[in-house]
Amino acid sequence: MGGEKIPEPFCWDESFKVFYENIDEQHKGLFRGIFDVAAAPADAGKLKHLVDIVKAHFDTEEDMMSKKNYDGLAEHKTLHADFVTKISGLAAPVSNDTVHFAKDWLVNHIKGVDFKYKGKL
């Protein structure tokens, strides 16, 4: 996807901070969710949990953008919808390539797309 380095171990750090406490906390949860799927790729419950928290996070983020009439909302929603479509179609066991895709997508989405709304919501 992008050129940002995927941290290993895969966990949130200060370099991912968007400075909205609720979103930063949700981003931490997304990192944990992907980490948990990577650790137990055959666990359908962990995959379902990841899909659920991704959807909830995207709803929160999009609601905040909507309330502030954020210019990038439409594009952002499309990126979110595409990712949800991809992960919602998965079944356990999850392949290493798919885990890598999810890690890469999250890292590059936060740093390349979410960072654009810093100070605007």
Side-chain angles (χ1 to χ4, degrees), residues 8-27:
E8 289 298 341
F10 190 71
C11 59
W12 186 95
D13 64 44
E14 294 287 321
S15 74
F16 293 97
K17 198 167 194 162
V18 295
F19 300 98
Y20 300 101
E21 188 174 344
N22 60 330
I23 293 178
D24 283 330
E25 287 303 312
Q26 288 180 350
H27 282 164

Side-chain angles (χ1 to χ4, degrees), residues 31-75:
F31 271 86
R32 278 190 303 274
I34 294 172
F35 180 89
D36 290 346
V37 169
D43 187 333
K46 292 196 185 310
L47 178 58
K48 181 186 180 321
H49 176 71
L50 175 62
V51 172
D52 290 346
I53 63 174
V54 164
K55 289 177 180 177
H57 167 65
F58 289 171
D59 287 347
T60 298
E61 209 172 59
E62 291 168 10
D63 185 55
M64 288 176 68
M65 289 179 195
S66 180
K67 286 179 179 170
K68 293 292 185 175
N69 295 312
Y70 177 66
D71 284 341
L73 176 60
E75 178 187 358

Side-chain angles (χ1 to χ4, degrees), residues 89-102:
L90 297 175
V94 178
S95 72
N96 288 337
D97 286 347
T98 300
V99 168
H100 178 79
F101 164 80

Side-chain angles (χ1 to χ4, degrees), residues 65 69-79 113 116-117:
M65 289 179 195
N69 295 312
Y70 177 66
D71 284 341
L73 176 60
E75 178 187 358
H76 212 114
K77 284 179 85 164
T78 299
L79 295 170
V113 180
K116 294 176 184 174
Y117 66 59

